[in-house]
Amino acid sequence: MAKVEAPKGGGFKGAPDSVALILFFVFWYAGNMKYNEYNTASLAAVGGKFAGMTMIVATLQLAVCGIYAVAMWILNLNPVKVFGLQLPTKQNVPKLSSADVVKTVPLGFCSAAAHACTVFALGGDPLFGQIVKSGEPVMAAIINTIVYNKPPSFPKIMCLPIIVGGVAFASLKKGDDGSYALKFDQTALVFGMLANTFAAFKGGENKKLMSDKGIAERFGGVGNQFAVTQILAFFMCIPVMFGTEGAMFSSFTEKLTTDRSLQLNLFLSGVCFYLYNELATMTLKVTGPVTASVANTAKRVIVMVYMAAVTGKSLTEEQKIGAGVAICGVLLYSIIDDLLPKKKTKVS
């Protein structure tokens, strides 16, 4: 994590990077919780998953992200490190070449697809959508192994079924005859799995892109890299939006101009989406895509509890047990390589 330069004269120097990293994780979680709340409210305001405006909502959330990014460039200031009790940093316009932008396109595409699919999944069922999204660590491990040749350790691989199994158990419902059945929304299942796939590719492409020291230097920091990615994602979503839901765009604009609640929730969902994802991107610098995906699993359990409270739904015993198992799996995944003795290499 880049260190913040302390002001001259013995002023506030900011929190240590280790403390800041913990706070970035906390606000990453909190931002995601609020995003889910505002996203659910936005989709409800346009009529839900059957209204045919989900892609419009997803695209305009990215539009808010783009406006936020441009505003930071105009003000030459990025306040995100304030969440880690560190000083804001300057946010200059990145000095990218056309070739640099082309190299960023795959990451922008994966970001656009992951975001849109997630909105569809959460629009189908906010709680079950989170359950399906919990499978992201498994998909990340598979894709990083096959595509990027960066597999996790075998002990960590053995922890992944614990995490997914715990959250999967939380989705079970006990019937009157005492047997268990899995209740799921088809939209949440299909788009949640697609979101997992694109999110796994996004993590790999993000690390691949920023491993190029030249382009990383020209971006001028993670904040600029994320800003450019979201702007690219927005422009990529526009043709998809008009191609799939163009007929409903006039109805949406009519709702948007007359519904203050929709205006507020759409704006706040976009801002929260940008902030929590920028914080997540910052943690990727030191944790890697698979570890971040596992952190996502724990986050989804917390978000499930929060959304259950927001929607007024009480957690069943199965959900409580499943959440506990998943969180224990995340903890085990995080420390298992340190608990097991490392193999010593023989010197010939």
Side-chain angles (χ1 to χ4, degrees), residues 49-83:
K49 64 180 179 180
F50 297 115
M53 302 182 192
T54 304
M55 189 65 199
I56 297 175
V57 170
T59 303
L60 292 188
Q61 286 175 348
L62 292 177
V64 173
C65 293
I67 294 171
Y68 182 86
V70 172
M72 286 192 295
W73 286 331
I74 293 174
L75 297 174
N76 193 25
L77 186 71
N78 186 345
V80 71
K81 285 199 171 183
V82 172
F83 291 103

PDB file of all heavy atoms in Angstrom, residues 49-83:
ATOM      1  N   LYS A  49     -37.913  -7.067 -10.658  1.00  0.00           N
ATOM      2  CA  LYS A  49     -37.224  -7.815 -11.704  1.00  0.00           C
ATOM      3  C   LYS A  49     -38.061  -8.038 -12.958  1.00  0.00           C
ATOM      4  O   LYS A  49     -37.504  -8.343 -14.027  1.00  0.00           O
ATOM      5  CB  LYS A  49     -36.755  -9.164 -11.157  1.00  0.00           C
ATOM      6  CG  LYS A  49     -37.883 -10.098 -10.730  1.00  0.00           C
ATOM      7  CD  LYS A  49     -37.309 -11.413 -10.209  1.00  0.00           C
ATOM      8  CE  LYS A  49     -38.410 -12.370  -9.757  1.00  0.00           C
ATOM      9  NZ  LYS A  49     -37.861 -13.642  -9.257  1.00  0.00           N
ATOM     10  N   PHE A  50     -39.360  -7.891 -12.860  1.00  0.00           N
ATOM     11  CA  PHE A  50     -40.216  -8.104 -14.029  1.00  0.00           C
ATOM     12  C   PHE A  50     -40.539  -6.806 -14.769  1.00  0.00           C
ATOM     13  O   PHE A  50     -41.264  -6.826 -15.758  1.00  0.00           O
ATOM     14  CB  PHE A  50     -41.519  -8.792 -13.613  1.00  0.00           C
ATOM     15  CG  PHE A  50     -41.318 -10.159 -13.027  1.00  0.00           C
ATOM     16  CD1 PHE A  50     -41.630 -10.417 -11.700  1.00  0.00           C
ATOM     17  CD2 PHE A  50     -40.804 -11.195 -13.796  1.00  0.00           C
ATOM     18  CE1 PHE A  50     -41.446 -11.676 -11.147  1.00  0.00           C
ATOM     19  CE2 PHE A  50     -40.620 -12.459 -13.253  1.00  0.00           C
ATOM     20  CZ  PHE A  50     -40.939 -12.702 -11.927  1.00  0.00           C
ATOM     21  N   ALA A  51     -40.000  -5.684 -14.317  1.00  0.00           N
ATOM     22  CA  ALA A  51     -40.309  -4.388 -14.932  1.00  0.00           C
ATOM     23  C   ALA A  51     -39.492  -4.131 -16.188  1.00  0.00           C
ATOM     24  O   ALA A  51     -39.822  -3.251 -16.979  1.00  0.00           O
ATOM     25  CB  ALA A  51     -40.072  -3.259 -13.923  1.00  0.00           C
ATOM     26  N   GLY A  52     -38.403  -4.874 -16.382  1.00  0.00           N
ATOM     27  CA  GLY A  52     -37.577  -4.687 -17.573  1.00  0.00           C
ATOM     28  C   GLY A  52     -36.704  -3.458 -17.523  1.00  0.00           C
ATOM     29  O   GLY A  52     -36.403  -2.868 -18.570  1.00  0.00           O
ATOM     30  N   MET A  53     -36.264  -3.057 -16.330  1.00  0.00           N
ATOM     31  CA  MET A  53     -35.410  -1.881 -16.200  1.00  0.00           C
ATOM     32  C   MET A  53     -34.148  -2.154 -15.381  1.00  0.00           C
ATOM     33  O   MET A  53     -33.448  -1.224 -14.997  1.00  0.00           O
ATOM     34  CB  MET A  53     -36.197  -0.725 -15.549  1.00  0.00           C
ATOM     35  CG  MET A  53     -37.434  -0.316 -16.286  1.00  0.00           C
ATOM     36  SD  MET A  53     -38.259   1.088 -15.488  1.00  0.00           S
ATOM     37  CE  MET A  53     -39.837   1.100 -16.347  1.00  0.00           C
ATOM     38  N   THR A  54     -33.859  -3.410 -15.148  1.00  0.00           N
ATOM     39  CA  THR A  54     -32.712  -3.753 -14.303  1.00  0.00           C
ATOM     40  C   THR A  54     -31.401  -3.320 -14.939  1.00  0.00           C
ATOM     41  O   THR A  54     -30.509  -2.791 -14.262  1.00  0.00           O
ATOM     42  CB  THR A  54     -32.678  -5.269 -14.033  1.00  0.00           C
ATOM     43  OG1 THR A  54     -33.924  -5.669 -13.454  1.00  0.00           O
ATOM     44  CG2 THR A  54     -31.550  -5.624 -13.089  1.00  0.00           C
ATOM     45  N   MET A  55     -31.243  -3.542 -16.240  1.00  0.00           N
ATOM     46  CA  MET A  55     -30.007  -3.151 -16.928  1.00  0.00           C
ATOM     47  C   MET A  55     -29.855  -1.637 -16.944  1.00  0.00           C
ATOM     48  O   MET A  55     -28.727  -1.125 -16.887  1.00  0.00           O
ATOM     49  CB  MET A  55     -30.005  -3.712 -18.359  1.00  0.00           C
ATOM     50  CG  MET A  55     -28.669  -3.535 -19.080  1.00  0.00           C
ATOM     51  SD  MET A  55     -27.346  -4.497 -18.292  1.00  0.00           S
ATOM     52  CE  MET A  55     -25.890  -3.679 -18.953  1.00  0.00           C
ATOM     53  N   ILE A  56     -30.956  -0.931 -17.005  1.00  0.00           N
ATOM     54  CA  ILE A  56     -30.902   0.537 -16.972  1.00  0.00           C
ATOM     55  C   ILE A  56     -30.370   1.003 -15.627  1.00  0.00           C
ATOM     56  O   ILE A  56     -29.509   1.892 -15.550  1.00  0.00           O
ATOM     57  CB  ILE A  56     -32.295   1.143 -17.235  1.00  0.00           C
ATOM     58  CG1 ILE A  56     -32.790   0.768 -18.631  1.00  0.00           C
ATOM     59  CG2 ILE A  56     -32.261   2.663 -17.084  1.00  0.00           C
ATOM     60  CD1 ILE A  56     -34.208   1.222 -18.936  1.00  0.00           C
ATOM     61  N   VAL A  57     -30.865   0.401 -14.554  1.00  0.00           N
ATOM     62  CA  VAL A  57     -30.398   0.752 -13.212  1.00  0.00           C
ATOM     63  C   VAL A  57     -28.904   0.458 -13.082  1.00  0.00           C
ATOM     64  O   VAL A  57     -28.134   1.293 -12.581  1.00  0.00           O
ATOM     65  CB  VAL A  57     -31.196  -0.017 -12.136  1.00  0.00           C
ATOM     66  CG1 VAL A  57     -30.556   0.166 -10.765  1.00  0.00           C
ATOM     67  CG2 VAL A  57     -32.643   0.464 -12.106  1.00  0.00           C
ATOM     68  N   ALA A  58     -28.483  -0.717 -13.546  1.00  0.00           N
ATOM     69  CA  ALA A  58     -27.071  -1.093 -13.457  1.00  0.00           C
ATOM     70  C   ALA A  58     -26.186  -0.128 -14.227  1.00  0.00           C
ATOM     71  O   ALA A  58     -25.117   0.284 -13.756  1.00  0.00           O
ATOM     72  CB  ALA A  58     -26.877  -2.515 -13.986  1.00  0.00           C
ATOM     73  N   THR A  59     -26.637   0.274 -15.427  1.00  0.00           N
ATOM     74  CA  THR A  59     -25.840   1.184 -16.256  1.00  0.00           C
ATOM     75  C   THR A  59     -25.749   2.571 -15.644  1.00  0.00           C
ATOM     76  O   THR A  59     -24.677   3.194 -15.635  1.00  0.00           O
ATOM     77  CB  THR A  59     -26.448   1.277 -17.664  1.00  0.00           C
ATOM     78  OG1 THR A  59     -26.526  -0.031 -18.239  1.00  0.00           O
ATOM     79  CG2 THR A  59     -25.609   2.173 -18.571  1.00  0.00           C
ATOM     80  N   LEU A  60     -26.858   3.075 -15.115  1.00  0.00           N
ATOM     81  CA  LEU A  60     -26.838   4.416 -14.531  1.00  0.00           C
ATOM     82  C   LEU A  60     -26.066   4.454 -13.220  1.00  0.00           C
ATOM     83  O   LEU A  60     -25.550   5.507 -12.836  1.00  0.00           O
ATOM     84  CB  LEU A  60     -28.265   4.925 -14.342  1.00  0.00           C
ATOM     85  CG  LEU A  60     -29.022   5.202 -15.657  1.00  0.00           C
ATOM     86  CD1 LEU A  60     -30.352   5.875 -15.391  1.00  0.00           C
ATOM     87  CD2 LEU A  60     -28.185   6.067 -16.601  1.00  0.00           C
ATOM     88  N   GLN A  61     -25.970   3.340 -12.528  1.00  0.00           N
ATOM     89  CA  GLN A  61     -25.088   3.292 -11.353  1.00  0.00           C
ATOM     90  C   GLN A  61     -23.641   3.518 -11.789  1.00  0.00           C
ATOM     91  O   GLN A  61     -22.885   4.235 -11.125  1.00  0.00           O
ATOM     92  CB  GLN A  61     -25.232   1.947 -10.635  1.00  0.00           C
ATOM     93  CG  GLN A  61     -26.527   1.804  -9.857  1.00  0.00           C
ATOM     94  CD  GLN A  61     -26.695   0.415  -9.263  1.00  0.00           C
ATOM     95  OE1 GLN A  61     -25.971  -0.523  -9.594  1.00  0.00           O
ATOM     96  NE2 GLN A  61     -27.675   0.267  -8.379  1.00  0.00           N
ATOM     97  N   LEU A  62     -23.269   2.928 -12.923  1.00  0.00           N
ATOM     98  CA  LEU A  62     -21.930   3.148 -13.456  1.00  0.00           C
ATOM     99  C   LEU A  62     -21.761   4.579 -13.958  1.00  0.00           C
ATOM    100  O   LEU A  62     -20.651   5.127 -13.927  1.00  0.00           O
ATOM    101  CB  LEU A  62     -21.636   2.150 -14.583  1.00  0.00           C
ATOM    102  CG  LEU A  62     -21.509   0.684 -14.157  1.00  0.00           C
ATOM    103  CD1 LEU A  62     -21.284  -0.204 -15.384  1.00  0.00           C
ATOM    104  CD2 LEU A  62     -20.371   0.497 -13.172  1.00  0.00           C
ATOM    105  N   ALA A  63     -22.858   5.195 -14.420  1.00  0.00           N
ATOM    106  CA  ALA A  63     -22.793   6.599 -14.837  1.00  0.00           C
ATOM    107  C   ALA A  63     -22.452   7.488 -13.643  1.00  0.00           C
ATOM    108  O   ALA A  63     -21.655   8.426 -13.755  1.00  0.00           O
ATOM    109  CB  ALA A  63     -24.128   7.026 -15.457  1.00  0.00           C
ATOM    110  N   VAL A  64     -23.053   7.188 -12.490  1.00  0.00           N
ATOM    111  CA  VAL A  64     -22.736   7.925 -11.263  1.00  0.00           C
ATOM    112  C   VAL A  64     -21.260   7.747 -10.922  1.00  0.00           C
ATOM    113  O   VAL A  64     -20.572   8.686 -10.528  1.00  0.00           O
ATOM    114  CB  VAL A  64     -23.626   7.456 -10.094  1.00  0.00           C
ATOM    115  CG1 VAL A  64     -23.178   8.099  -8.776  1.00  0.00           C
ATOM    116  CG2 VAL A  64     -25.087   7.789 -10.370  1.00  0.00           C
ATOM    117  N   CYS A  65     -20.760   6.512 -11.094  1.00  0.00           N
ATOM    118  CA  CYS A  65     -19.341   6.238 -10.844  1.00  0.00           C
ATOM    119  C   CYS A  65     -18.462   7.092 -11.746  1.00  0.00           C
ATOM    120  O   CYS A  65     -17.444   7.649 -11.304  1.00  0.00           O
ATOM    121  CB  CYS A  65     -19.037   4.764 -11.089  1.00  0.00           C
ATOM    122  SG  CYS A  65     -19.812   3.622  -9.925  1.00  0.00           S
ATOM    123  N   GLY A  66     -18.837   7.201 -13.013  1.00  0.00           N
ATOM    124  CA  GLY A  66     -18.062   7.998 -13.959  1.00  0.00           C
ATOM    125  C   GLY A  66     -18.045   9.472 -13.589  1.00  0.00           C
ATOM    126  O   GLY A  66     -17.004  10.138 -13.671  1.00  0.00           O
ATOM    127  N   ILE A  67     -19.195   9.987 -13.171  1.00  0.00           N
ATOM    128  CA  ILE A  67     -19.282  11.397 -12.762  1.00  0.00           C
ATOM    129  C   ILE A  67     -18.422  11.638 -11.524  1.00  0.00           C
ATOM    130  O   ILE A  67     -17.724  12.655 -11.424  1.00  0.00           O
ATOM    131  CB  ILE A  67     -20.753  11.783 -12.495  1.00  0.00           C
ATOM    132  CG1 ILE A  67     -21.556  11.724 -13.800  1.00  0.00           C
ATOM    133  CG2 ILE A  67     -20.852  13.168 -11.867  1.00  0.00           C
ATOM    134  CD1 ILE A  67     -23.050  11.875 -13.603  1.00  0.00           C
ATOM    135  N   TYR A  68     -18.459  10.703 -10.589  1.00  0.00           N
ATOM    136  CA  TYR A  68     -17.648  10.814  -9.370  1.00  0.00           C
ATOM    137  C   TYR A  68     -16.161  10.834  -9.724  1.00  0.00           C
ATOM    138  O   TYR A  68     -15.383  11.629  -9.171  1.00  0.00           O
ATOM    139  CB  TYR A  68     -17.959   9.641  -8.441  1.00  0.00           C
ATOM    140  CG  TYR A  68     -17.212   9.662  -7.124  1.00  0.00           C
ATOM    141  CD1 TYR A  68     -17.698  10.368  -6.038  1.00  0.00           C
ATOM    142  CD2 TYR A  68     -16.013   8.971  -6.976  1.00  0.00           C
ATOM    143  CE1 TYR A  68     -17.010  10.390  -4.824  1.00  0.00           C
ATOM    144  CE2 TYR A  68     -15.329   8.983  -5.766  1.00  0.00           C
ATOM    145  CZ  TYR A  68     -15.831   9.691  -4.699  1.00  0.00           C
ATOM    146  OH  TYR A  68     -15.145   9.712  -3.506  1.00  0.00           O
ATOM    147  N   ALA A  69     -15.758   9.986 -10.672  1.00  0.00           N
ATOM    148  CA  ALA A  69     -14.351   9.922 -11.083  1.00  0.00           C
ATOM    149  C   ALA A  69     -13.907  11.229 -11.735  1.00  0.00           C
ATOM    150  O   ALA A  69     -12.829  11.753 -11.435  1.00  0.00           O
ATOM    151  CB  ALA A  69     -14.146   8.751 -12.040  1.00  0.00           C
ATOM    152  N   VAL A  70     -14.733  11.759 -12.627  1.00  0.00           N
ATOM    153  CA  VAL A  70     -14.391  13.014 -13.297  1.00  0.00           C
ATOM    154  C   VAL A  70     -14.316  14.157 -12.295  1.00  0.00           C
ATOM    155  O   VAL A  70     -13.443  15.032 -12.386  1.00  0.00           O
ATOM    156  CB  VAL A  70     -15.423  13.318 -14.402  1.00  0.00           C
ATOM    157  CG1 VAL A  70     -15.191  14.721 -14.978  1.00  0.00           C
ATOM    158  CG2 VAL A  70     -15.344  12.276 -15.512  1.00  0.00           C
ATOM    159  N   ALA A  71     -15.219  14.141 -11.307  1.00  0.00           N
ATOM    160  CA  ALA A  71     -15.201  15.188 -10.273  1.00  0.00           C
ATOM    161  C   ALA A  71     -13.886  15.157  -9.488  1.00  0.00           C
ATOM    162  O   ALA A  71     -13.326  16.214  -9.147  1.00  0.00           O
ATOM    163  CB  ALA A  71     -16.388  15.002  -9.327  1.00  0.00           C
ATOM    164  N   MET A  72     -13.381  13.966  -9.200  1.00  0.00           N
ATOM    165  CA  MET A  72     -12.104  13.865  -8.487  1.00  0.00           C
ATOM    166  C   MET A  72     -10.964  14.425  -9.320  1.00  0.00           C
ATOM    167  O   MET A  72     -10.041  15.060  -8.791  1.00  0.00           O
ATOM    168  CB  MET A  72     -11.821  12.410  -8.106  1.00  0.00           C
ATOM    169  CG  MET A  72     -12.676  11.890  -6.955  1.00  0.00           C
ATOM    170  SD  MET A  72     -12.075  10.306  -6.307  1.00  0.00           S
ATOM    171  CE  MET A  72     -12.333   9.255  -7.736  1.00  0.00           C
ATOM    172  N   TRP A  73     -11.011  14.196 -10.638  1.00  0.00           N
ATOM    173  CA  TRP A  73      -9.965  14.737 -11.508  1.00  0.00           C
ATOM    174  C   TRP A  73     -10.035  16.257 -11.580  1.00  0.00           C
ATOM    175  O   TRP A  73      -9.016  16.933 -11.608  1.00  0.00           O
ATOM    176  CB  TRP A  73     -10.096  14.129 -12.908  1.00  0.00           C
ATOM    177  CG  TRP A  73      -9.635  12.704 -12.967  1.00  0.00           C
ATOM    178  CD1 TRP A  73      -8.690  12.102 -12.191  1.00  0.00           C
ATOM    179  CD2 TRP A  73     -10.113  11.694 -13.860  1.00  0.00           C
ATOM    180  NE1 TRP A  73      -8.532  10.788 -12.543  1.00  0.00           N
ATOM    181  CE2 TRP A  73      -9.388  10.495 -13.560  1.00  0.00           C
ATOM    182  CE3 TRP A  73     -11.063  11.656 -14.876  1.00  0.00           C
ATOM    183  CZ2 TRP A  73      -9.598   9.300 -14.250  1.00  0.00           C
ATOM    184  CZ3 TRP A  73     -11.275  10.476 -15.556  1.00  0.00           C
ATOM    185  CH2 TRP A  73     -10.548   9.310 -15.246  1.00  0.00           C
ATOM    186  N   ILE A  74     -11.253  16.777 -11.592  1.00  0.00           N
ATOM    187  CA  ILE A  74     -11.413  18.232 -11.636  1.00  0.00           C
ATOM    188  C   ILE A  74     -10.898  18.870 -10.351  1.00  0.00           C
ATOM    189  O   ILE A  74     -10.205  19.902 -10.371  1.00  0.00           O
ATOM    190  CB  ILE A  74     -12.894  18.607 -11.874  1.00  0.00           C
ATOM    191  CG1 ILE A  74     -13.335  18.160 -13.278  1.00  0.00           C
ATOM    192  CG2 ILE A  74     -13.109  20.108 -11.692  1.00  0.00           C
ATOM    193  CD1 ILE A  74     -14.811  18.350 -13.543  1.00  0.00           C
ATOM    194  N   LEU A  75     -11.227  18.248  -9.205  1.00  0.00           N
ATOM    195  CA  LEU A  75     -10.795  18.761  -7.904  1.00  0.00           C
ATOM    196  C   LEU A  75      -9.352  18.360  -7.573  1.00  0.00           C
ATOM    197  O   LEU A  75      -8.776  18.886  -6.612  1.00  0.00           O
ATOM    198  CB  LEU A  75     -11.724  18.243  -6.800  1.00  0.00           C
ATOM    199  CG  LEU A  75     -13.190  18.692  -6.887  1.00  0.00           C
ATOM    200  CD1 LEU A  75     -14.021  17.987  -5.830  1.00  0.00           C
ATOM    201  CD2 LEU A  75     -13.295  20.210  -6.738  1.00  0.00           C
ATOM    202  N   ASN A  76      -8.815  17.432  -8.354  1.00  0.00           N
ATOM    203  CA  ASN A  76      -7.455  16.928  -8.124  1.00  0.00           C
ATOM    204  C   ASN A  76      -7.303  16.369  -6.710  1.00  0.00           C
ATOM    205  O   ASN A  76      -6.308  16.617  -6.030  1.00  0.00           O
ATOM    206  CB  ASN A  76      -6.419  18.041  -8.372  1.00  0.00           C
ATOM    207  CG  ASN A  76      -5.004  17.510  -8.446  1.00  0.00           C
ATOM    208  OD1 ASN A  76      -4.783  16.343  -8.769  1.00  0.00           O
ATOM    209  ND2 ASN A  76      -4.033  18.359  -8.136  1.00  0.00           N
ATOM    210  N   LEU A  77      -8.330  15.621  -6.280  1.00  0.00           N
ATOM    211  CA  LEU A  77      -8.339  15.102  -4.910  1.00  0.00           C
ATOM    212  C   LEU A  77      -9.136  13.804  -4.836  1.00  0.00           C
ATOM    213  O   LEU A  77     -10.245  13.726  -5.369  1.00  0.00           O
ATOM    214  CB  LEU A  77      -8.952  16.134  -3.960  1.00  0.00           C
ATOM    215  CG  LEU A  77      -8.897  15.807  -2.461  1.00  0.00           C
ATOM    216  CD1 LEU A  77      -7.462  15.912  -1.959  1.00  0.00           C
ATOM    217  CD2 LEU A  77      -9.797  16.762  -1.680  1.00  0.00           C
ATOM    218  N   ASN A  78      -8.572  12.795  -4.170  1.00  0.00           N
ATOM    219  CA  ASN A  78      -9.268  11.538  -3.921  1.00  0.00           C
ATOM    220  C   ASN A  78      -9.387  11.343  -2.415  1.00  0.00           C
ATOM    221  O   ASN A  78      -8.379  11.138  -1.736  1.00  0.00           O
ATOM    222  CB  ASN A  78      -8.515  10.360  -4.543  1.00  0.00           C
ATOM    223  CG  ASN A  78      -9.280   9.051  -4.430  1.00  0.00           C
ATOM    224  OD1 ASN A  78     -10.235   8.924  -3.664  1.00  0.00           O
ATOM    225  ND2 ASN A  78      -8.868   8.055  -5.196  1.00  0.00           N
ATOM    226  N   PRO A  79     -10.604  11.389  -1.862  1.00  0.00           N
ATOM    227  CA  PRO A  79     -10.775  11.322  -0.408  1.00  0.00           C
ATOM    228  C   PRO A  79     -10.842   9.913   0.171  1.00  0.00           C
ATOM    229  O   PRO A  79     -11.037   9.746   1.368  1.00  0.00           O
ATOM    230  CB  PRO A  79     -12.114  12.034  -0.211  1.00  0.00           C
ATOM    231  CG  PRO A  79     -12.893  11.699  -1.443  1.00  0.00           C
ATOM    232  CD  PRO A  79     -11.877  11.645  -2.560  1.00  0.00           C
ATOM    233  N   VAL A  80     -10.663   8.856  -0.649  1.00  0.00           N
ATOM    234  CA  VAL A  80     -10.946   7.502  -0.191  1.00  0.00           C
ATOM    235  C   VAL A  80     -10.069   7.082   0.995  1.00  0.00           C
ATOM    236  O   VAL A  80     -10.520   6.328   1.866  1.00  0.00           O
ATOM    237  CB  VAL A  80     -10.793   6.494  -1.357  1.00  0.00           C
ATOM    238  CG1 VAL A  80      -9.334   6.311  -1.742  1.00  0.00           C
ATOM    239  CG2 VAL A  80     -11.418   5.149  -0.982  1.00  0.00           C
ATOM    240  N   LYS A  81      -8.832   7.584   1.068  1.00  0.00           N
ATOM    241  CA  LYS A  81      -7.956   7.161   2.166  1.00  0.00           C
ATOM    242  C   LYS A  81      -8.380   7.730   3.512  1.00  0.00           C
ATOM    243  O   LYS A  81      -7.872   7.293   4.547  1.00  0.00           O
ATOM    244  CB  LYS A  81      -6.508   7.542   1.859  1.00  0.00           C
ATOM    245  CG  LYS A  81      -5.868   6.639   0.818  1.00  0.00           C
ATOM    246  CD  LYS A  81      -4.357   6.710   0.852  1.00  0.00           C
ATOM    247  CE  LYS A  81      -3.754   5.643  -0.042  1.00  0.00           C
ATOM    248  NZ  LYS A  81      -2.271   5.630   0.025  1.00  0.00           N
ATOM    249  N   VAL A  82      -9.312   8.670   3.500  1.00  0.00           N
ATOM    250  CA  VAL A  82      -9.852   9.185   4.763  1.00  0.00           C
ATOM    251  C   VAL A  82     -10.520   8.051   5.537  1.00  0.00           C
ATOM    252  O   VAL A  82     -10.527   8.038   6.769  1.00  0.00           O
ATOM    253  CB  VAL A  82     -10.852  10.327   4.498  1.00  0.00           C
ATOM    254  CG1 VAL A  82     -11.563  10.748   5.777  1.00  0.00           C
ATOM    255  CG2 VAL A  82     -10.129  11.528   3.893  1.00  0.00           C
ATOM    256  N   PHE A  83     -11.071   7.066   4.801  1.00  0.00           N
ATOM    257  CA  PHE A  83     -11.697   5.914   5.460  1.00  0.00           C
ATOM    258  C   PHE A  83     -10.677   5.108   6.254  1.00  0.00           C
ATOM    259  O   PHE A  83     -11.054   4.370   7.170  1.00  0.00           O
ATOM    260  CB  PHE A  83     -12.386   5.017   4.422  1.00  0.00           C
ATOM    261  CG  PHE A  83     -13.600   5.631   3.800  1.00  0.00           C
ATOM    262  CD1 PHE A  83     -13.553   6.155   2.520  1.00  0.00           C
ATOM    263  CD2 PHE A  83     -14.799   5.685   4.485  1.00  0.00           C
ATOM    264  CE1 PHE A  83     -14.674   6.727   1.934  1.00  0.00           C
ATOM    265  CE2 PHE A  83     -15.927   6.250   3.914  1.00  0.00           C
ATOM    266  CZ  PHE A  83     -15.866   6.781   2.641  1.00  0.00           C
TER     267      PHE A  83
END
